[in-house]
């Protein structure tokens, strides 16, 4: 075969030209659009996103990822068109980032608010579809539907931003739900300071509850709400508590992943 090509130089010339044409055409095809197509790029980004949602620890986290005297602020039961924007305003005023634990249908109904939460640098948490505080006693199939459907709703409303945590309604975690959440990239998130802002007390009572609990906790995660009713007391108490926390030397982080 080698001798044949060596003799028939005309064939070599034609073959070489064909090879060059193929190489040039291939180069032009790749350079013509400056890289992969939009669909290909989105596919790569999607795979990277899935990779970033790798399995996390299934234990319930309270500790902050920020060293020193640090708090995690968490906001549950929204988003709500009245109260979520007001909570966001207060957080922005004091340059505090928080985790928003959202109900799936609420996120689906208010995607603009979910996107505002993400754009402001806050993180997302799955708080199930129905907020059933008895779900820990329900079948695993029910728990799975509640958790995974809500995750999809929230991430779709957020434009693809990852839901990084899972908080069981009323703390109704089970070994199954914790592992399921972790396998889908969501760290189970607890709390160890309950502001009781969902009860009918005054702003002063909410403040006293949080201030009284802080000295007894290391790396505390504080629970507030922006949904489920009138949250004016939450807004007012955050407006007082956040600057007080800062004056006491506390910083603000996110729960460990």
């Amino acid at each position: 075969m080698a001798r044949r090509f060596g003799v028939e130089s005309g064939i070599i010339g034609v073959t070489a030209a064909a090879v060059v044409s193929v190489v040039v055409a291939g180069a032009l095809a790749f350079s013509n659009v400056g890289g992969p197509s939009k669909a290909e790029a989105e596919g790569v980004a999607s795979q990277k996103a899935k990779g970033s949602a790798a399995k996390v620890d299934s234990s319930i986290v309270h500790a902050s990822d920020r060293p020193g005297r640090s708090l995690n602020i968490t906001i549950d039961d929204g988003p709500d068109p009245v109260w979520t924007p007001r909570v966001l305003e207060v957080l922005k005023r004091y340059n505090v980032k928080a985790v928003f634990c959202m109900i799936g249908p609420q996120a689906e109904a208010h995607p603009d608010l979910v996107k505002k939460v993400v754009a402001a640098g806050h993180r997302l948490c799955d708080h199930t579809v129905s907020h059933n505080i008895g779900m820990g006693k329900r079948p695993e199939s029910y728990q799975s539907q509640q958790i995974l459907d809500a995750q999809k709703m929230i991430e779709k409303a957020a434009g693809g931003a990852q839901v990084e945590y899972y908080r069981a309604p009323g703390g109704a975690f089970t070994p199954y739900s914790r592992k399921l959440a972790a396998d889908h990239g969501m760290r189970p998130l607890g709390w160890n300071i309950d502001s009781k802002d969902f009860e009918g007390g005054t702003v002063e009572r909410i403040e006293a509850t949080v201030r009284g609990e802080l000295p007894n906790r290391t790396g505390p995660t504080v629970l507030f709400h922006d949904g489920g009713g009138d949250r004016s007391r939450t807004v007012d108490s955050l407006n007082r508590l956040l600057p007080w926390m800062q004056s006491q030397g506390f910083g603000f982080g996110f729960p460990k992943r």
Side-chain angles (χ1 to χ4, degrees):
M1 184 66 74
R3 191 172 75 83
R4 182 183 176 191
F5 279 112
V7 173
E8 297 177 5
S9 59
I11 294 176
I12 293 175
V14 172
T15 303
V19 171
V20 170
S21 298
V22 170
V23 172
V24 170
L28 288 173
F30 280 98
S31 63
N32 187 45
V33 294
S37 68
K38 180 180 179 181
E40 291 170 331
E42 289 175 347
V44 171
S46 176
Q47 288 302 315
K48 288 182 178 179
K50 289 179 180 178
S52 68
K55 182 178 177 181
V56 297
D57 195 319
S58 64
S59 63
I60 299 172
V61 66
H62 301 94
S64 175
D65 63 4
R66 183 183 183 277
R69 287 166 59 83
S70 185
L71 307 175
N72 304 320
I73 302 298
T74 62
I75 314 290
D76 282 20
D77 296 356
D80 181 274
V82 174
W83 305 114
T84 301
R86 294 182 61 180
V87 168
L88 286 172
E89 288 175 7
V90 176
L91 294 172
K92 181 179 180 181
R93 182 175 303 132
Y94 299 107
N95 193 29
V96 173
K97 305 302 179 187
V99 176
F100 283 76
C101 299
M102 298 184 174
I103 306 296
Q106 286 294 109
E108 191 172 55
H110 305 288
D112 55 327
L113 292 178
V114 182
K115 290 180 176 67
K116 285 182 179 179
V117 166
V118 173
H122 306 291
R123 294 188 183 179
L124 300 175
C125 173
D126 178 338
H127 205 32
T128 75
V129 173
S130 303
H131 197 273
N132 181 357
I133 61 175
M135 68 176 286
K137 298 180 181 179
R138 300 294 299 276
E140 291 180 354
S141 59
Y142 176 84
Q143 296 178 48
S144 177
Q145 176 267 326
Q146 286 286 307
I147 296 168
L148 300 186
D149 284 4
Q151 182 185 25
K152 291 175 184 176
M153 291 176 184
I154 298 166
E155 290 184 346
K156 182 178 179 181
Q162 182 185 357
V163 175
E164 299 188 47
Y165 305 94
Y166 163 65
R167 173 172 279 168
F173 290 100
T174 66
Y176 173 79
S177 68
R178 290 191 290 107
K179 183 178 185 303
L180 179 71
D183 285 347
H184 287 80
M186 299 180 290
R187 181 75 186 266
L189 174 60
W191 66 88
N192 47 17
I193 296 181
D194 186 347
S195 68
K196 305 291 186 183
D197 62 335
F198 62 90
E199 296 182 357
T202 63
V203 174
E204 289 74 20
R205 181 178 175 183
I206 295 171
E207 286 187 83
T209 298
V210 174
R211 291 189 186 199
E213 288 292 322
L214 276 179
N216 304 320
R217 299 288 183 266
T218 301
T221 294
V222 191
L223 171 62
F224 295 96
H225 297 79
D226 65 339
D230 183 347
R231 296 299 174 220
S232 57
R233 289 184 297 275
T234 299
V235 174
D236 291 343
S237 62
L238 281 170
N239 214 13
R240 298 185 187 187
L241 281 167
L242 294 181
W244 176 82
M245 290 169 174
Q246 291 170 333
S247 73
Q248 299 301 303
F250 286 101
F252 302 92
F254 290 113
K256 288 183 176 181
R257 290 263 297 152

